[in-house]
Amino acid sequence: MYKVSEVIVVEGRYDKNTLSQIVDATIIETSGFGVFNDREKQKLLRMMAEKQGLIVFTDSDGAGFVIRNFIKGCVPKEQLKHAYIPDVEGKERRKTKASKEGKLGVEGMSPEIIINALRRAGATIEGEGAQKCAKISKADMYAKGLSGKADSAAKRLELIKKLDLPEKMSADALLQVLNVLMTREEFLNM
């Protein structure tokens, strides 16, 4: 498993599932074109980019480039890196027929192609120059009353509002975002 410091942005859940088997990173889905009208997600992407940088990792088809270009318009270019997969003809295993353009997407790529694409994009990969620091854990969330207790949902919502994050975030999603926005020490001292 490769630990990537930047936040990786993908189109959908199958791309996220594929990447999460290869890399240890915060991975955010755009929900395809759903990001176009989702101001909260756009705001989250800008916030994550500012704190940690984003790697846009969309499919190499027309739709992937439309989404990529939209994100380019939302996030300052100095906070963006772009990972590109090669054009490979075929269809993903879960699909009955190939995509409109007949190309494999991120979910259909091999681990080697994905890692090489991230390296070419300039990803910060632990052991290849990244620095390791303590992360906020689920136990830390529990100790702060943000999970596992009767009033945890209310406390999470309060923190989400305080940090100006999307309200529908799960505890796990919040944990990922907190690890991008602050150090463990900052979290424990809140």
Side-chain angles (χ1 to χ4, degrees):
M1 180 89 47
Y2 295 85
K3 185 166 180 53
V4 176
S5 296
E6 294 86 358
V7 174
I8 302 173
V9 181
V10 296
E11 291 179 51
R13 70 174 183 246
Y14 293 105
D15 299 326
K16 182 177 181 175
N17 289 343
T18 296
L19 259 68
S20 64
Q21 294 173 37
I22 302 164
V23 298
D24 176 8
T26 300
I27 304 169
I28 297 176
E29 303 168 40
T30 66
S31 302
F33 295 139
V35 72
F36 295 174
N37 297 314
D38 189 340
R39 295 204 185 278
E40 285 187 344
K41 179 130 338 156
Q42 293 168 26
K43 185 176 183 177
L44 177 64
L45 290 174
R46 283 190 291 274
M47 195 181 310
M48 302 293 265
E50 184 179 331
K51 286 287 188 177
Q52 204 160 328
L54 290 184
I55 298 175
V56 180
F57 204 163
T58 58
D59 295 348
S60 59
D61 60 5
F65 278 91
V66 169
I67 294 166
R68 182 184 298 275
N69 288 328
F70 180 82
I71 294 170
K72 278 184 193 176
C74 291
V75 177
K77 67 179 180 178
E78 60 275 2
Q79 298 169 354
L80 279 179
K81 295 178 181 178
H82 295 275
Y84 296 93
I85 57 171
D87 286 339
V88 177
E89 300 292 320
K91 72 170 191 65
E92 279 81 15
R93 279 184 249 144
R94 70 177 176 86
K95 296 181 178 176
T96 56
K97 61 180 187 172
S99 69
K100 182 178 175 184
E101 295 180 30
K103 298 176 185 175
L104 289 176
V106 171
E107 74 174 276
M109 294 293 127
S110 70
E112 295 79 23
I113 290 174
I114 288 172
I115 291 302
N116 286 334
L118 289 168
R119 282 187 179 120
R120 282 192 308 275
T124 307
I125 301 172
E126 189 173 289
E128 297 179 14
Q131 294 182 3
K132 190 175 181 179
C133 63
K135 293 285 190 181
I136 302 164
S137 68
K138 288 185 177 188
D140 295 329
M141 295 273 288
Y142 180 80
K144 284 281 197 178
L146 296 169
S147 66
K149 299 182 180 174
D151 62 345
S152 293
K155 284 187 175 184
R156 277 195 312 275
L157 185 57
E158 186 180 311
L159 178 60
I160 284 169
K161 285 181 179 181
K162 179 181 174 186
L163 296 175
D164 202 20
L165 298 171
E167 288 185 16
K168 294 182 180 179
M169 229 177 233
S170 68
D172 286 339
L174 178 60
L175 177 61
Q176 283 190 327
V177 170
L178 289 173
N179 272 308
V180 171
L181 297 178
M182 63 186 70
T183 65
R184 182 172 185 265
E185 184 178 347
E186 290 169 335
F187 175 77
L188 295 175
N189 291 326
M190 286 183 15

